[in-house]
Structure formats: structure tokens, C-alpha cells
Amino acid sequence: MNIRAFAIVASAAVLAAVPASADAKKDAKAQVEFGINVAQRGLWREAIYRWEKATQIDPTYAAAYNDLAIGYEHEGQLDKARKAYEKALELDPNNSQVRQNYELFKEINDRTAQKDK
């Protein structure tokens, strides 16, 4: 394959990846929204499943990690919740909602851990 043909194939591959990326973000957002909907009805395990799926589809989606952390926290999976909050903040350090949720999580759980000692 000559260089020109290679450049055309490479360009086509990049252009083909753009819609896939947009589709992935759309799919991840749909999973997050579905998770919120079922969580509001008390179906937390299903919500967690959806939020986990969203983070697999789009590993850069900070809001999905935030929601996942809330779900884990609700289900008492505190180590997983802490890791999900930390990942959300790593991805979006200036997100005030994530920061507020994580600070509240730490305040409640660190206080509870102190009482258990």
C-alpha cells in the first residue's frame, strides 16, 4: 500500500470513529438516565447495573461515576462508592455537584467509622 492510500484509509478510520464516539456518549447517557429513573422507583441494583454499564461504554463520563457512587453508597458498598467518587473527581475535578456529594459521603462515613472504633 502506498503512502497516499494509507493516508486515505487512516483518515477514513478516524472519521468513522467520530460517530461511534458520539454514539457511545449517547448510549452512556441513556444508561445513566434509565438508572436514575429506576433508582427513583427504588430499584437500586438495576440502577447500579445501568450506571456500571454507562462507565463501561464511556469511561470518561464523570456524571455516571457520580451516580454509581451514590448507588453504591445507598447499597452499603462504601469502598466501591469512595472509588467511584474519586474517579468522578479525577475526570471532572471542578464539578461542584460531585465534590459536594463526595464531601458529604466522607463526612458521614468517616464519622461513622470513628464511632465504630
PDB file of all heavy atoms in Angstrom, residues 36-75:
ATOM      1  N   ILE A  36     -31.242   6.509  36.666  1.00  0.00           N
ATOM      2  CA  ILE A  36     -31.893   7.499  37.539  1.00  0.00           C
ATOM      3  C   ILE A  36     -33.375   7.170  37.672  1.00  0.00           C
ATOM      4  O   ILE A  36     -33.932   7.184  38.776  1.00  0.00           O
ATOM      5  CB  ILE A  36     -31.680   8.933  37.000  1.00  0.00           C
ATOM      6  CG1 ILE A  36     -30.208   9.333  37.136  1.00  0.00           C
ATOM      7  CG2 ILE A  36     -32.588   9.924  37.717  1.00  0.00           C
ATOM      8  CD1 ILE A  36     -29.833  10.597  36.381  1.00  0.00           C
ATOM      9  N   ASN A  37     -33.998   6.840  36.567  1.00  0.00           N
ATOM     10  CA  ASN A  37     -35.425   6.516  36.568  1.00  0.00           C
ATOM     11  C   ASN A  37     -35.728   5.328  37.480  1.00  0.00           C
ATOM     12  O   ASN A  37     -36.656   5.386  38.288  1.00  0.00           O
ATOM     13  CB  ASN A  37     -35.881   6.239  35.130  1.00  0.00           C
ATOM     14  CG  ASN A  37     -37.366   6.032  35.024  1.00  0.00           C
ATOM     15  OD1 ASN A  37     -37.899   5.016  35.462  1.00  0.00           O
ATOM     16  ND2 ASN A  37     -38.039   6.998  34.431  1.00  0.00           N
ATOM     17  N   VAL A  38     -34.956   4.261  37.363  1.00  0.00           N
ATOM     18  CA  VAL A  38     -35.237   3.081  38.194  1.00  0.00           C
ATOM     19  C   VAL A  38     -34.845   3.315  39.645  1.00  0.00           C
ATOM     20  O   VAL A  38     -35.505   2.795  40.557  1.00  0.00           O
ATOM     21  CB  VAL A  38     -34.618   1.777  37.614  1.00  0.00           C
ATOM     22  CG1 VAL A  38     -35.245   1.434  36.284  1.00  0.00           C
ATOM     23  CG2 VAL A  38     -33.115   1.851  37.520  1.00  0.00           C
ATOM     24  N   ALA A  39     -33.810   4.110  39.891  1.00  0.00           N
ATOM     25  CA  ALA A  39     -33.433   4.433  41.274  1.00  0.00           C
ATOM     26  C   ALA A  39     -34.557   5.201  41.969  1.00  0.00           C
ATOM     27  O   ALA A  39     -34.846   4.966  43.142  1.00  0.00           O
ATOM     28  CB  ALA A  39     -32.136   5.238  41.305  1.00  0.00           C
ATOM     29  N   GLN A  40     -35.208   6.094  41.234  1.00  0.00           N
ATOM     30  CA  GLN A  40     -36.319   6.856  41.804  1.00  0.00           C
ATOM     31  C   GLN A  40     -37.479   5.953  42.190  1.00  0.00           C
ATOM     32  O   GLN A  40     -38.288   6.312  43.027  1.00  0.00           O
ATOM     33  CB  GLN A  40     -36.786   7.930  40.820  1.00  0.00           C
ATOM     34  CG  GLN A  40     -35.786   9.045  40.665  1.00  0.00           C
ATOM     35  CD  GLN A  40     -36.126  10.018  39.552  1.00  0.00           C
ATOM     36  OE1 GLN A  40     -36.846   9.700  38.614  1.00  0.00           O
ATOM     37  NE2 GLN A  40     -35.572  11.217  39.651  1.00  0.00           N
ATOM     38  N   ARG A  41     -37.534   4.771  41.594  1.00  0.00           N
ATOM     39  CA  ARG A  41     -38.573   3.798  41.937  1.00  0.00           C
ATOM     40  C   ARG A  41     -38.072   2.761  42.937  1.00  0.00           C
ATOM     41  O   ARG A  41     -38.756   1.772  43.207  1.00  0.00           O
ATOM     42  CB  ARG A  41     -39.078   3.106  40.669  1.00  0.00           C
ATOM     43  CG  ARG A  41     -39.771   4.098  39.730  1.00  0.00           C
ATOM     44  CD  ARG A  41     -40.387   3.433  38.557  1.00  0.00           C
ATOM     45  NE  ARG A  41     -39.443   2.486  37.941  1.00  0.00           N
ATOM     46  CZ  ARG A  41     -39.449   2.128  36.681  1.00  0.00           C
ATOM     47  NH1 ARG A  41     -40.353   2.616  35.874  1.00  0.00           N
ATOM     48  NH2 ARG A  41     -38.566   1.292  36.210  1.00  0.00           N
ATOM     49  N   GLY A  42     -36.867   2.983  43.469  1.00  0.00           N
ATOM     50  CA  GLY A  42     -36.325   2.103  44.491  1.00  0.00           C
ATOM     51  C   GLY A  42     -35.602   0.873  43.962  1.00  0.00           C
ATOM     52  O   GLY A  42     -35.241  -0.008  44.735  1.00  0.00           O
ATOM     53  N   LEU A  43     -35.358   0.819  42.676  1.00  0.00           N
ATOM     54  CA  LEU A  43     -34.694  -0.340  42.069  1.00  0.00           C
ATOM     55  C   LEU A  43     -33.191  -0.060  41.961  1.00  0.00           C
ATOM     56  O   LEU A  43     -32.632   0.119  40.875  1.00  0.00           O
ATOM     57  CB  LEU A  43     -35.304  -0.644  40.703  1.00  0.00           C
ATOM     58  CG  LEU A  43     -36.809  -0.916  40.717  1.00  0.00           C
ATOM     59  CD1 LEU A  43     -37.371  -0.983  39.306  1.00  0.00           C
ATOM     60  CD2 LEU A  43     -37.109  -2.193  41.482  1.00  0.00           C
ATOM     61  N   TRP A  44     -32.529  -0.039  43.101  1.00  0.00           N
ATOM     62  CA  TRP A  44     -31.142   0.389  43.179  1.00  0.00           C
ATOM     63  C   TRP A  44     -30.175  -0.558  42.491  1.00  0.00           C
ATOM     64  O   TRP A  44     -29.204  -0.130  41.884  1.00  0.00           O
ATOM     65  CB  TRP A  44     -30.739   0.621  44.629  1.00  0.00           C
ATOM     66  CG  TRP A  44     -31.329   1.900  45.131  1.00  0.00           C
ATOM     67  CD1 TRP A  44     -32.511   2.050  45.806  1.00  0.00           C
ATOM     68  CD2 TRP A  44     -30.816   3.208  44.941  1.00  0.00           C
ATOM     69  NE1 TRP A  44     -32.738   3.380  46.049  1.00  0.00           N
ATOM     70  CE2 TRP A  44     -31.709   4.109  45.537  1.00  0.00           C
ATOM     71  CE3 TRP A  44     -29.664   3.709  44.330  1.00  0.00           C
ATOM     72  CZ2 TRP A  44     -31.488   5.480  45.536  1.00  0.00           C
ATOM     73  CZ3 TRP A  44     -29.448   5.066  44.331  1.00  0.00           C
ATOM     74  CH2 TRP A  44     -30.362   5.945  44.930  1.00  0.00           C
ATOM     75  N   ARG A  45     -30.416  -1.847  42.569  1.00  0.00           N
ATOM     76  CA  ARG A  45     -29.498  -2.792  41.903  1.00  0.00           C
ATOM     77  C   ARG A  45     -29.534  -2.610  40.395  1.00  0.00           C
ATOM     78  O   ARG A  45     -28.503  -2.676  39.728  1.00  0.00           O
ATOM     79  CB  ARG A  45     -29.827  -4.232  42.292  1.00  0.00           C
ATOM     80  CG  ARG A  45     -29.450  -4.518  43.724  1.00  0.00           C
ATOM     81  CD  ARG A  45     -29.650  -5.951  44.080  1.00  0.00           C
ATOM     82  NE  ARG A  45     -29.479  -6.097  45.525  1.00  0.00           N
ATOM     83  CZ  ARG A  45     -29.772  -7.164  46.190  1.00  0.00           C
ATOM     84  NH1 ARG A  45     -30.259  -8.229  45.577  1.00  0.00           N
ATOM     85  NH2 ARG A  45     -29.590  -7.215  47.492  1.00  0.00           N
ATOM     86  N   GLU A  46     -30.726  -2.413  39.861  1.00  0.00           N
ATOM     87  CA  GLU A  46     -30.848  -2.164  38.421  1.00  0.00           C
ATOM     88  C   GLU A  46     -30.170  -0.847  38.063  1.00  0.00           C
ATOM     89  O   GLU A  46     -29.495  -0.744  37.032  1.00  0.00           O
ATOM     90  CB  GLU A  46     -32.323  -2.139  37.998  1.00  0.00           C
ATOM     91  CG  GLU A  46     -32.539  -1.831  36.532  1.00  0.00           C
ATOM     92  CD  GLU A  46     -32.052  -2.910  35.571  1.00  0.00           C
ATOM     93  OE1 GLU A  46     -31.875  -4.077  36.003  1.00  0.00           O
ATOM     94  OE2 GLU A  46     -31.841  -2.605  34.391  1.00  0.00           O
ATOM     95  N   ALA A  47     -30.335   0.159  38.910  1.00  0.00           N
ATOM     96  CA  ALA A  47     -29.699   1.457  38.666  1.00  0.00           C
ATOM     97  C   ALA A  47     -28.181   1.303  38.636  1.00  0.00           C
ATOM     98  O   ALA A  47     -27.513   1.829  37.726  1.00  0.00           O
ATOM     99  CB  ALA A  47     -30.123   2.456  39.738  1.00  0.00           C
ATOM    100  N   ILE A  48     -27.645   0.586  39.605  1.00  0.00           N
ATOM    101  CA  ILE A  48     -26.193   0.358  39.657  1.00  0.00           C
ATOM    102  C   ILE A  48     -25.731  -0.354  38.398  1.00  0.00           C
ATOM    103  O   ILE A  48     -24.719   0.015  37.798  1.00  0.00           O
ATOM    104  CB  ILE A  48     -25.804  -0.426  40.930  1.00  0.00           C
ATOM    105  CG1 ILE A  48     -25.958   0.484  42.151  1.00  0.00           C
ATOM    106  CG2 ILE A  48     -24.385  -0.976  40.825  1.00  0.00           C
ATOM    107  CD1 ILE A  48     -25.851  -0.238  43.482  1.00  0.00           C
ATOM    108  N   TYR A  49     -26.484  -1.353  37.979  1.00  0.00           N
ATOM    109  CA  TYR A  49     -26.138  -2.074  36.754  1.00  0.00           C
ATOM    110  C   TYR A  49     -26.060  -1.103  35.569  1.00  0.00           C
ATOM    111  O   TYR A  49     -25.122  -1.144  34.773  1.00  0.00           O
ATOM    112  CB  TYR A  49     -27.170  -3.178  36.474  1.00  0.00           C
ATOM    113  CG  TYR A  49     -26.998  -3.829  35.140  1.00  0.00           C
ATOM    114  CD1 TYR A  49     -26.028  -4.803  34.936  1.00  0.00           C
ATOM    115  CD2 TYR A  49     -27.788  -3.455  34.047  1.00  0.00           C
ATOM    116  CE1 TYR A  49     -25.849  -5.389  33.695  1.00  0.00           C
ATOM    117  CE2 TYR A  49     -27.626  -4.035  32.808  1.00  0.00           C
ATOM    118  CZ  TYR A  49     -26.653  -5.003  32.638  1.00  0.00           C
ATOM    119  OH  TYR A  49     -26.479  -5.574  31.407  1.00  0.00           O
ATOM    120  N   ARG A  50     -27.038  -0.233  35.452  1.00  0.00           N
ATOM    121  CA  ARG A  50     -27.074   0.728  34.341  1.00  0.00           C
ATOM    122  C   ARG A  50     -25.911   1.716  34.413  1.00  0.00           C
ATOM    123  O   ARG A  50     -25.303   2.057  33.402  1.00  0.00           O
ATOM    124  CB  ARG A  50     -28.406   1.479  34.314  1.00  0.00           C
ATOM    125  CG  ARG A  50     -29.587   0.588  34.075  1.00  0.00           C
ATOM    126  CD  ARG A  50     -29.485  -0.127  32.750  1.00  0.00           C
ATOM    127  NE  ARG A  50     -30.554  -1.106  32.594  1.00  0.00           N
ATOM    128  CZ  ARG A  50     -30.943  -1.579  31.436  1.00  0.00           C
ATOM    129  NH1 ARG A  50     -30.360  -1.203  30.316  1.00  0.00           N
ATOM    130  NH2 ARG A  50     -31.913  -2.461  31.384  1.00  0.00           N
ATOM    131  N   TRP A  51     -25.616   2.197  35.624  1.00  0.00           N
ATOM    132  CA  TRP A  51     -24.517   3.150  35.766  1.00  0.00           C
ATOM    133  C   TRP A  51     -23.166   2.485  35.522  1.00  0.00           C
ATOM    134  O   TRP A  51     -22.270   3.103  34.947  1.00  0.00           O
ATOM    135  CB  TRP A  51     -24.590   3.829  37.129  1.00  0.00           C
ATOM    136  CG  TRP A  51     -25.814   4.672  37.274  1.00  0.00           C
ATOM    137  CD1 TRP A  51     -26.453   5.389  36.296  1.00  0.00           C
ATOM    138  CD2 TRP A  51     -26.579   4.878  38.457  1.00  0.00           C
ATOM    139  NE1 TRP A  51     -27.555   6.031  36.820  1.00  0.00           N
ATOM    140  CE2 TRP A  51     -27.666   5.743  38.146  1.00  0.00           C
ATOM    141  CE3 TRP A  51     -26.466   4.434  39.767  1.00  0.00           C
ATOM    142  CZ2 TRP A  51     -28.604   6.160  39.084  1.00  0.00           C
ATOM    143  CZ3 TRP A  51     -27.405   4.834  40.704  1.00  0.00           C
ATOM    144  CH2 TRP A  51     -28.460   5.693  40.356  1.00  0.00           C
ATOM    145  N   GLU A  52     -23.021   1.228  35.941  1.00  0.00           N
ATOM    146  CA  GLU A  52     -21.791   0.492  35.633  1.00  0.00           C
ATOM    147  C   GLU A  52     -21.647   0.352  34.117  1.00  0.00           C
ATOM    148  O   GLU A  52     -20.562   0.528  33.570  1.00  0.00           O
ATOM    149  CB  GLU A  52     -21.798  -0.887  36.296  1.00  0.00           C
ATOM    150  CG  GLU A  52     -21.573  -0.844  37.787  1.00  0.00           C
ATOM    151  CD  GLU A  52     -21.733  -2.192  38.476  1.00  0.00           C
ATOM    152  OE1 GLU A  52     -22.367  -3.110  37.888  1.00  0.00           O
ATOM    153  OE2 GLU A  52     -21.228  -2.323  39.609  1.00  0.00           O
ATOM    154  N   LYS A  53     -22.748   0.034  33.470  1.00  0.00           N
ATOM    155  CA  LYS A  53     -22.739  -0.117  32.012  1.00  0.00           C
ATOM    156  C   LYS A  53     -22.356   1.208  31.350  1.00  0.00           C
ATOM    157  O   LYS A  53     -21.569   1.228  30.398  1.00  0.00           O
ATOM    158  CB  LYS A  53     -24.115  -0.586  31.548  1.00  0.00           C
ATOM    159  CG  LYS A  53     -24.165  -1.070  30.138  1.00  0.00           C
ATOM    160  CD  LYS A  53     -25.454  -1.855  29.928  1.00  0.00           C
ATOM    161  CE  LYS A  53     -25.569  -2.391  28.533  1.00  0.00           C
ATOM    162  NZ  LYS A  53     -24.650  -3.480  28.241  1.00  0.00           N
ATOM    163  N   ALA A  54     -22.871   2.312  31.858  1.00  0.00           N
ATOM    164  CA  ALA A  54     -22.538   3.632  31.302  1.00  0.00           C
ATOM    165  C   ALA A  54     -21.040   3.916  31.415  1.00  0.00           C
ATOM    166  O   ALA A  54     -20.434   4.440  30.478  1.00  0.00           O
ATOM    167  CB  ALA A  54     -23.338   4.720  32.006  1.00  0.00           C
ATOM    168  N   THR A  55     -20.435   3.543  32.544  1.00  0.00           N
ATOM    169  CA  THR A  55     -18.995   3.785  32.714  1.00  0.00           C
ATOM    170  C   THR A  55     -18.160   2.870  31.819  1.00  0.00           C
ATOM    171  O   THR A  55     -17.055   3.228  31.439  1.00  0.00           O
ATOM    172  CB  THR A  55     -18.544   3.630  34.183  1.00  0.00           C
ATOM    173  OG1 THR A  55     -18.748   2.284  34.614  1.00  0.00           O
ATOM    174  CG2 THR A  55     -19.272   4.607  35.089  1.00  0.00           C
ATOM    175  N   GLN A  56     -18.711   1.708  31.483  1.00  0.00           N
ATOM    176  CA  GLN A  56     -18.009   0.823  30.551  1.00  0.00           C
ATOM    177  C   GLN A  56     -18.103   1.367  29.128  1.00  0.00           C
ATOM    178  O   GLN A  56     -17.134   1.315  28.375  1.00  0.00           O
ATOM    179  CB  GLN A  56     -18.603  -0.587  30.612  1.00  0.00           C
ATOM    180  CG  GLN A  56     -18.334  -1.292  31.916  1.00  0.00           C
ATOM    181  CD  GLN A  56     -19.215  -2.519  32.122  1.00  0.00           C
ATOM    182  OE1 GLN A  56     -20.030  -2.863  31.277  1.00  0.00           O
ATOM    183  NE2 GLN A  56     -19.059  -3.168  33.266  1.00  0.00           N
ATOM    184  N   ILE A  57     -19.266   1.885  28.772  1.00  0.00           N
ATOM    185  CA  ILE A  57     -19.466   2.448  27.435  1.00  0.00           C
ATOM    186  C   ILE A  57     -18.613   3.701  27.248  1.00  0.00           C
ATOM    187  O   ILE A  57     -17.975   3.878  26.222  1.00  0.00           O
ATOM    188  CB  ILE A  57     -20.956   2.776  27.191  1.00  0.00           C
ATOM    189  CG1 ILE A  57     -21.787   1.485  27.170  1.00  0.00           C
ATOM    190  CG2 ILE A  57     -21.144   3.563  25.899  1.00  0.00           C
ATOM    191  CD1 ILE A  57     -23.296   1.718  27.221  1.00  0.00           C
ATOM    192  N   ASP A  58     -18.619   4.571  28.262  1.00  0.00           N
ATOM    193  CA  ASP A  58     -17.854   5.823  28.197  1.00  0.00           C
ATOM    194  C   ASP A  58     -17.092   6.009  29.505  1.00  0.00           C
ATOM    195  O   ASP A  58     -17.620   6.587  30.459  1.00  0.00           O
ATOM    196  CB  ASP A  58     -18.781   7.014  27.940  1.00  0.00           C
ATOM    197  CG  ASP A  58     -18.022   8.327  27.824  1.00  0.00           C
ATOM    198  OD1 ASP A  58     -16.777   8.325  27.921  1.00  0.00           O
ATOM    199  OD2 ASP A  58     -18.675   9.365  27.631  1.00  0.00           O
ATOM    200  N   PRO A  59     -15.861   5.510  29.566  1.00  0.00           N
ATOM    201  CA  PRO A  59     -15.071   5.596  30.804  1.00  0.00           C
ATOM    202  C   PRO A  59     -14.684   7.019  31.214  1.00  0.00           C
ATOM    203  O   PRO A  59     -14.090   7.209  32.268  1.00  0.00           O
ATOM    204  CB  PRO A  59     -13.816   4.770  30.489  1.00  0.00           C
ATOM    205  CG  PRO A  59     -14.108   4.018  29.254  1.00  0.00           C
ATOM    206  CD  PRO A  59     -15.181   4.759  28.524  1.00  0.00           C
ATOM    207  N   THR A  60     -15.042   8.022  30.409  1.00  0.00           N
ATOM    208  CA  THR A  60     -14.723   9.417  30.743  1.00  0.00           C
ATOM    209  C   THR A  60     -15.936  10.180  31.256  1.00  0.00           C
ATOM    210  O   THR A  60     -15.866  11.393  31.453  1.00  0.00           O
ATOM    211  CB  THR A  60     -14.154  10.153  29.508  1.00  0.00           C
ATOM    212  OG1 THR A  60     -15.182  10.264  28.518  1.00  0.00           O
ATOM    213  CG2 THR A  60     -12.955   9.440  28.935  1.00  0.00           C
ATOM    214  N   TYR A  61     -17.031   9.500  31.497  1.00  0.00           N
ATOM    215  CA  TYR A  61     -18.308  10.134  31.861  1.00  0.00           C
ATOM    216  C   TYR A  61     -18.383  10.296  33.381  1.00  0.00           C
ATOM    217  O   TYR A  61     -18.833   9.418  34.099  1.00  0.00           O
ATOM    218  CB  TYR A  61     -19.444   9.266  31.323  1.00  0.00           C
ATOM    219  CG  TYR A  61     -20.813   9.891  31.293  1.00  0.00           C
ATOM    220  CD1 TYR A  61     -21.064  11.200  31.672  1.00  0.00           C
ATOM    221  CD2 TYR A  61     -21.892   9.133  30.869  1.00  0.00           C
ATOM    222  CE1 TYR A  61     -22.332  11.737  31.634  1.00  0.00           C
ATOM    223  CE2 TYR A  61     -23.170   9.657  30.824  1.00  0.00           C
ATOM    224  CZ  TYR A  61     -23.378  10.959  31.209  1.00  0.00           C
ATOM    225  OH  TYR A  61     -24.648  11.486  31.163  1.00  0.00           O
ATOM    226  N   ALA A  62     -17.959  11.436  33.864  1.00  0.00           N
ATOM    227  CA  ALA A  62     -17.875  11.698  35.302  1.00  0.00           C
ATOM    228  C   ALA A  62     -19.233  11.579  35.997  1.00  0.00           C
ATOM    229  O   ALA A  62     -19.324  11.044  37.104  1.00  0.00           O
ATOM    230  CB  ALA A  62     -17.270  13.074  35.557  1.00  0.00           C
ATOM    231  N   ALA A  63     -20.287  12.069  35.374  1.00  0.00           N
ATOM    232  CA  ALA A  63     -21.618  12.014  35.992  1.00  0.00           C
ATOM    233  C   ALA A  63     -22.060  10.577  36.224  1.00  0.00           C
ATOM    234  O   ALA A  63     -22.730  10.283  37.216  1.00  0.00           O
ATOM    235  CB  ALA A  63     -22.634  12.750  35.125  1.00  0.00           C
ATOM    236  N   ALA A  64     -21.675   9.675  35.336  1.00  0.00           N
ATOM    237  CA  ALA A  64     -22.028   8.264  35.514  1.00  0.00           C
ATOM    238  C   ALA A  64     -21.335   7.703  36.760  1.00  0.00           C
ATOM    239  O   ALA A  64     -21.934   6.952  37.534  1.00  0.00           O
ATOM    240  CB  ALA A  64     -21.650   7.454  34.282  1.00  0.00           C
ATOM    241  N   TYR A  65     -20.068   8.074  36.968  1.00  0.00           N
ATOM    242  CA  TYR A  65     -19.349   7.619  38.162  1.00  0.00           C
ATOM    243  C   TYR A  65     -19.956   8.224  39.427  1.00  0.00           C
ATOM    244  O   TYR A  65     -20.041   7.562  40.466  1.00  0.00           O
ATOM    245  CB  TYR A  65     -17.862   7.973  38.075  1.00  0.00           C
ATOM    246  CG  TYR A  65     -17.097   7.057  37.167  1.00  0.00           C
ATOM    247  CD1 TYR A  65     -16.799   7.428  35.860  1.00  0.00           C
ATOM    248  CD2 TYR A  65     -16.671   5.800  37.600  1.00  0.00           C
ATOM    249  CE1 TYR A  65     -16.100   6.592  35.014  1.00  0.00           C
ATOM    250  CE2 TYR A  65     -15.974   4.952  36.768  1.00  0.00           C
ATOM    251  CZ  TYR A  65     -15.688   5.354  35.478  1.00  0.00           C
ATOM    252  OH  TYR A  65     -14.995   4.507  34.636  1.00  0.00           O
ATOM    253  N   ASN A  66     -20.408   9.468  39.341  1.00  0.00           N
ATOM    254  CA  ASN A  66     -21.055  10.105  40.483  1.00  0.00           C
ATOM    255  C   ASN A  66     -22.336   9.357  40.861  1.00  0.00           C
ATOM    256  O   ASN A  66     -22.554   9.034  42.029  1.00  0.00           O
ATOM    257  CB  ASN A  66     -21.366  11.565  40.167  1.00  0.00           C
ATOM    258  CG  ASN A  66     -22.045  12.271  41.312  1.00  0.00           C
ATOM    259  OD1 ASN A  66     -21.483  12.441  42.381  1.00  0.00           O
ATOM    260  ND2 ASN A  66     -23.285  12.681  41.097  1.00  0.00           N
ATOM    261  N   ASP A  67     -23.167   9.071  39.854  1.00  0.00           N
ATOM    262  CA  ASP A  67     -24.408   8.341  40.121  1.00  0.00           C
ATOM    263  C   ASP A  67     -24.108   6.934  40.642  1.00  0.00           C
ATOM    264  O   ASP A  67     -24.778   6.450  41.554  1.00  0.00           O
ATOM    265  CB  ASP A  67     -25.263   8.266  38.862  1.00  0.00           C
ATOM    266  CG  ASP A  67     -25.808   9.621  38.446  1.00  0.00           C
ATOM    267  OD1 ASP A  67     -25.796  10.561  39.267  1.00  0.00           O
ATOM    268  OD2 ASP A  67     -26.241   9.752  37.288  1.00  0.00           O
ATOM    269  N   LEU A  68     -23.101   6.307  40.063  1.00  0.00           N
ATOM    270  CA  LEU A  68     -22.704   4.977  40.513  1.00  0.00           C
ATOM    271  C   LEU A  68     -22.269   5.016  41.977  1.00  0.00           C
ATOM    272  O   LEU A  68     -22.648   4.145  42.771  1.00  0.00           O
ATOM    273  CB  LEU A  68     -21.567   4.462  39.620  1.00  0.00           C
ATOM    274  CG  LEU A  68     -21.058   3.056  39.879  1.00  0.00           C
ATOM    275  CD1 LEU A  68     -22.177   2.032  39.816  1.00  0.00           C
ATOM    276  CD2 LEU A  68     -19.962   2.717  38.875  1.00  0.00           C
ATOM    277  N   ALA A  69     -21.530   6.037  42.351  1.00  0.00           N
ATOM    278  CA  ALA A  69     -21.102   6.189  43.744  1.00  0.00           C
ATOM    279  C   ALA A  69     -22.306   6.326  44.667  1.00  0.00           C
ATOM    280  O   ALA A  69     -22.349   5.715  45.749  1.00  0.00           O
ATOM    281  CB  ALA A  69     -20.186   7.409  43.880  1.00  0.00           C
ATOM    282  N   ILE A  70     -23.284   7.092  44.258  1.00  0.00           N
ATOM    283  CA  ILE A  70     -24.497   7.256  45.067  1.00  0.00           C
ATOM    284  C   ILE A  70     -25.203   5.914  45.228  1.00  0.00           C
ATOM    285  O   ILE A  70     -25.648   5.557  46.320  1.00  0.00           O
ATOM    286  CB  ILE A  70     -25.436   8.303  44.432  1.00  0.00           C
ATOM    287  CG1 ILE A  70     -24.790   9.696  44.511  1.00  0.00           C
ATOM    288  CG2 ILE A  70     -26.808   8.296  45.100  1.00  0.00           C
ATOM    289  CD1 ILE A  70     -25.474  10.739  43.653  1.00  0.00           C
ATOM    290  N   GLY A  71     -25.286   5.160  44.131  1.00  0.00           N
ATOM    291  CA  GLY A  71     -25.905   3.843  44.198  1.00  0.00           C
ATOM    292  C   GLY A  71     -25.158   2.899  45.131  1.00  0.00           C
ATOM    293  O   GLY A  71     -25.766   2.223  45.970  1.00  0.00           O
ATOM    294  N   TYR A  72     -23.848   2.855  44.985  1.00  0.00           N
ATOM    295  CA  TYR A  72     -23.043   2.007  45.872  1.00  0.00           C
ATOM    296  C   TYR A  72     -23.229   2.430  47.326  1.00  0.00           C
ATOM    297  O   TYR A  72     -23.366   1.596  48.219  1.00  0.00           O
ATOM    298  CB  TYR A  72     -21.567   2.113  45.508  1.00  0.00           C
ATOM    299  CG  TYR A  72     -21.135   1.374  44.263  1.00  0.00           C
ATOM    300  CD1 TYR A  72     -20.084   1.865  43.488  1.00  0.00           C
ATOM    301  CD2 TYR A  72     -21.727   0.178  43.859  1.00  0.00           C
ATOM    302  CE1 TYR A  72     -19.639   1.196  42.361  1.00  0.00           C
ATOM    303  CE2 TYR A  72     -21.292  -0.494  42.724  1.00  0.00           C
ATOM    304  CZ  TYR A  72     -20.248   0.017  41.982  1.00  0.00           C
ATOM    305  OH  TYR A  72     -19.802  -0.650  40.862  1.00  0.00           O
ATOM    306  N   GLU A  73     -23.228   3.717  47.553  1.00  0.00           N
ATOM    307  CA  GLU A  73     -23.405   4.233  48.915  1.00  0.00           C
ATOM    308  C   GLU A  73     -24.760   3.788  49.469  1.00  0.00           C
ATOM    309  O   GLU A  73     -24.852   3.317  50.602  1.00  0.00           O
ATOM    310  CB  GLU A  73     -23.294   5.756  48.895  1.00  0.00           C
ATOM    311  CG  GLU A  73     -23.344   6.399  50.257  1.00  0.00           C
ATOM    312  CD  GLU A  73     -23.148   7.899  50.202  1.00  0.00           C
ATOM    313  OE1 GLU A  73     -22.980   8.487  49.104  1.00  0.00           O
ATOM    314  OE2 GLU A  73     -23.174   8.510  51.288  1.00  0.00           O
ATOM    315  N   HIS A  74     -25.785   3.927  48.670  1.00  0.00           N
ATOM    316  CA  HIS A  74     -27.132   3.524  49.097  1.00  0.00           C
ATOM    317  C   HIS A  74     -27.183   2.056  49.474  1.00  0.00           C
ATOM    318  O   HIS A  74     -27.876   1.672  50.415  1.00  0.00           O
ATOM    319  CB  HIS A  74     -28.147   3.827  47.992  1.00  0.00           C
ATOM    320  CG  HIS A  74     -29.552   3.535  48.401  1.00  0.00           C
ATOM    321  ND1 HIS A  74     -30.121   2.295  48.260  1.00  0.00           N
ATOM    322  CD2 HIS A  74     -30.499   4.321  48.965  1.00  0.00           C
ATOM    323  CE1 HIS A  74     -31.358   2.319  48.717  1.00  0.00           C
ATOM    324  NE2 HIS A  74     -31.614   3.548  49.151  1.00  0.00           N
ATOM    325  N   GLU A  75     -26.441   1.229  48.738  1.00  0.00           N
ATOM    326  CA  GLU A  75     -26.444  -0.213  48.972  1.00  0.00           C
ATOM    327  C   GLU A  75     -25.393  -0.651  49.998  1.00  0.00           C
ATOM    328  O   GLU A  75     -25.204  -1.838  50.225  1.00  0.00           O
ATOM    329  CB  GLU A  75     -26.225  -0.956  47.651  1.00  0.00           C
ATOM    330  CG  GLU A  75     -27.390  -0.809  46.698  1.00  0.00           C
ATOM    331  CD  GLU A  75     -28.680  -1.404  47.231  1.00  0.00           C
ATOM    332  OE1 GLU A  75     -28.739  -2.630  47.425  1.00  0.00           O
ATOM    333  OE2 GLU A  75     -29.635  -0.631  47.488  1.00  0.00           O
TER     334      GLU A  75
END
